[in-house]
Amino acid sequence: MTTDPAPPEPRQGPRVPPSAQAPVPPPPRWAVRAAHVVAWSTVPSGVWRVALVLGVPVGVMEREEFLAAFPDNSPLIALAYVLLIGAVAEAASYLTLGLVRPWGEVVPRWIPLAGGRPVDSRLAVLAASLGALTVTVLWWVLFFGGLLTGPSPDPGVSAGEALFVAAYAPLLLWGPLLAAVTWSYHRRHRRACTRL
């Protein structure tokens, strides 16, 4: 009795990650612009703080008054602190660009251990949402809310106060624009998943 060989099983190709199966649509132009505004929103306040430490008259606070908060009134420690605060703020705001750039889809290859792996969009949305909430509360409620409700020494606005407000006002855009760009990122990735 002869038996027919079993039919070959259908070949299955290599597993393709979902991001390769359903391409994520490009970000809308408004989201790209908003992400760039967020990335630049922290620069004016950083420049203002550096100017304060370097002794440039900024009108709201004197350099000596600021330095009194540091050990030995050290300008080096104050400058290091200001530069660190600026670097952290810049790095955090710059991450918004990842929501509209390819490195928000796949980790760049030059990053050790994670390079080349797809970005988990759910974690990116969670982190960006928490970031948007945090900076909104920080700048809208704590900082500017405190300025508006605090006692004012005089009813007028000096040139120094106007400069201060101009330097820090862009930070009010950070939270709401980050939330909008995060929403756009979430929608684009959700659409890509529903196409699978």
Short mmCIF file of all heavy atoms in Angstrom, two decimals, residues 19 24-25 98-107 117-120 185 188-189:
data_model
loop_
_atom_site.label_atom_id
_atom_site.label_comp_id
_atom_site.label_asym_id
_atom_site.label_seq_id
_atom_site.Cartn_x
_atom_site.Cartn_y
_atom_site.Cartn_z
N SER A 19 4.31 47.56 13.01
CA SER A 19 4.58 48.87 12.44
C SER A 19 4.99 48.76 10.98
O SER A 19 4.78 49.68 10.21
CB SER A 19 5.67 49.59 13.24
OG SER A 19 6.86 48.82 13.23
N VAL A 24 2.37 53.98 9.58
CA VAL A 24 1.72 55.07 10.31
C VAL A 24 1.64 56.27 9.38
O VAL A 24 2.64 56.63 8.75
CB VAL A 24 2.52 55.41 11.58
CG1 VAL A 24 1.90 56.59 12.30
CG2 VAL A 24 2.60 54.21 12.50
N PRO A 25 0.46 56.88 9.27
CA PRO A 25 0.37 58.06 8.39
C PRO A 25 1.26 59.19 8.90
O PRO A 25 1.55 59.27 10.09
CB PRO A 25 -1.11 58.44 8.45
CG PRO A 25 -1.70 57.69 9.58
CD PRO A 25 -0.79 56.56 9.92
N GLY A 98 9.92 63.97 18.79
CA GLY A 98 9.82 62.54 18.54
C GLY A 98 8.41 62.10 18.17
O GLY A 98 8.22 61.07 17.53
N LEU A 99 7.42 62.89 18.56
CA LEU A 99 6.03 62.54 18.22
C LEU A 99 5.69 62.84 16.77
O LEU A 99 4.63 62.43 16.28
CB LEU A 99 5.07 63.28 19.16
CG LEU A 99 5.24 62.98 20.66
CD1 LEU A 99 4.37 63.90 21.48
CD2 LEU A 99 4.93 61.52 20.94
N VAL A 100 6.57 63.56 16.08
CA VAL A 100 6.32 63.89 14.67
C VAL A 100 7.49 63.49 13.77
O VAL A 100 7.49 63.81 12.58
CB VAL A 100 6.01 65.39 14.48
CG1 VAL A 100 4.72 65.78 15.21
CG2 VAL A 100 7.17 66.27 14.94
N ARG A 101 8.48 62.81 14.31
CA ARG A 101 9.66 62.42 13.56
C ARG A 101 9.78 60.90 13.52
O ARG A 101 9.22 60.20 14.36
CB ARG A 101 10.93 62.99 14.21
CG ARG A 101 11.01 64.48 14.22
CD ARG A 101 11.28 64.97 12.80
NE ARG A 101 11.14 66.39 12.71
CZ ARG A 101 12.14 67.21 12.50
NH1 ARG A 101 13.35 66.76 12.34
NH2 ARG A 101 11.92 68.50 12.42
N PRO A 102 10.60 60.38 12.59
CA PRO A 102 10.78 58.92 12.52
C PRO A 102 11.33 58.31 13.81
O PRO A 102 11.01 57.17 14.13
CB PRO A 102 11.78 58.74 11.37
CG PRO A 102 11.60 59.95 10.52
CD PRO A 102 11.23 61.07 11.46
N TRP A 103 12.12 59.05 14.59
CA TRP A 103 12.65 58.47 15.82
C TRP A 103 11.57 58.33 16.89
O TRP A 103 11.82 57.78 17.96
CB TRP A 103 13.88 59.19 16.33
CG TRP A 103 13.82 60.68 16.49
CD1 TRP A 103 14.08 61.60 15.54
CD2 TRP A 103 13.50 61.41 17.67
NE1 TRP A 103 13.94 62.87 16.05
CE2 TRP A 103 13.59 62.78 17.35
CE3 TRP A 103 13.15 61.05 18.96
CZ2 TRP A 103 13.34 63.78 18.29
CZ3 TRP A 103 12.90 62.05 19.89
CH2 TRP A 103 12.99 63.39 19.54
N GLY A 104 10.35 58.76 16.61
CA GLY A 104 9.22 58.47 17.48
C GLY A 104 8.52 57.18 17.09
O GLY A 104 7.62 56.71 17.78
N GLU A 105 8.96 56.59 15.97
CA GLU A 105 8.42 55.31 15.50
C GLU A 105 9.42 54.17 15.78
O GLU A 105 9.03 53.10 16.18
CB GLU A 105 8.14 55.36 14.00
CG GLU A 105 7.42 56.60 13.50
CD GLU A 105 6.02 56.71 14.03
OE1 GLU A 105 5.41 55.66 14.30
OE2 GLU A 105 5.53 57.85 14.18
N VAL A 106 10.70 54.44 15.50
CA VAL A 106 11.76 53.44 15.68
C VAL A 106 12.92 54.13 16.40
O VAL A 106 13.35 55.21 16.00
CB VAL A 106 12.24 52.89 14.32
CG1 VAL A 106 13.39 51.91 14.52
CG2 VAL A 106 11.10 52.23 13.57
N VAL A 107 13.42 53.50 17.45
CA VAL A 107 14.53 54.07 18.22
C VAL A 107 15.75 54.16 17.30
O VAL A 107 16.08 53.21 16.60
CB VAL A 107 14.85 53.18 19.44
CG1 VAL A 107 16.03 53.74 20.23
CG2 VAL A 107 13.63 53.03 20.34
N ARG A 117 14.77 49.23 17.47
CA ARG A 117 13.50 48.63 17.93
C ARG A 117 12.35 49.61 17.74
O ARG A 117 12.52 50.81 17.88
CB ARG A 117 13.59 48.25 19.40
CG ARG A 117 14.58 47.15 19.66
CD ARG A 117 14.54 46.75 21.10
NE ARG A 117 15.54 45.72 21.35
CZ ARG A 117 15.72 45.15 22.52
NH1 ARG A 117 14.99 45.52 23.55
NH2 ARG A 117 16.63 44.23 22.67
N PRO A 118 11.16 49.07 17.45
CA PRO A 118 10.01 49.97 17.33
C PRO A 118 9.65 50.58 18.69
O PRO A 118 9.79 49.94 19.73
CB PRO A 118 8.88 49.07 16.83
CG PRO A 118 9.36 47.68 16.92
CD PRO A 118 10.84 47.69 17.16
N VAL A 119 9.21 51.81 18.65
CA VAL A 119 8.77 52.50 19.86
C VAL A 119 7.36 52.03 20.20
O VAL A 119 6.50 51.95 19.33
CB VAL A 119 8.78 54.04 19.64
CG1 VAL A 119 8.15 54.76 20.81
CG2 VAL A 119 10.20 54.52 19.40
N ASP A 120 7.14 51.68 21.45
CA ASP A 120 5.80 51.30 21.89
C ASP A 120 4.97 52.58 21.97
O ASP A 120 5.18 53.41 22.85
CB ASP A 120 5.87 50.61 23.25
CG ASP A 120 4.52 50.09 23.73
OD1 ASP A 120 3.47 50.55 23.22
OD2 ASP A 120 4.51 49.21 24.61
N TYR A 185 -0.41 62.11 17.60
CA TYR A 185 0.41 60.89 17.55
C TYR A 185 -0.45 59.68 17.86
O TYR A 185 -0.37 58.65 17.18
CB TYR A 185 1.55 61.05 18.56
CG TYR A 185 2.49 59.87 18.66
CD1 TYR A 185 3.60 59.77 17.82
CD2 TYR A 185 2.31 58.89 19.63
CE1 TYR A 185 4.49 58.71 17.94
CE2 TYR A 185 3.19 57.83 19.76
CZ TYR A 185 4.27 57.75 18.91
OH TYR A 185 5.16 56.69 19.04
N ARG A 188 -2.82 58.85 14.92
CA ARG A 188 -2.13 58.25 13.78
C ARG A 188 -1.79 56.78 14.05
O ARG A 188 -1.95 55.94 13.18
CB ARG A 188 -0.84 59.03 13.47
CG ARG A 188 -1.10 60.40 12.92
CD ARG A 188 0.15 61.11 12.47
NE ARG A 188 1.16 61.30 13.51
CZ ARG A 188 2.36 60.75 13.51
NH1 ARG A 188 2.74 59.96 12.54
NH2 ARG A 188 3.21 60.99 14.49
N HIS A 189 -1.36 56.48 15.26
CA HIS A 189 -1.01 55.09 15.58
C HIS A 189 -2.25 54.22 15.75
O HIS A 189 -2.22 53.04 15.41
CB HIS A 189 -0.13 55.05 16.83
CG HIS A 189 1.28 55.42 16.54
ND1 HIS A 189 1.67 56.74 16.40
CD2 HIS A 189 2.38 54.67 16.29
CE1 HIS A 189 2.96 56.76 16.10
NE2 HIS A 189 3.40 55.53 16.03
#
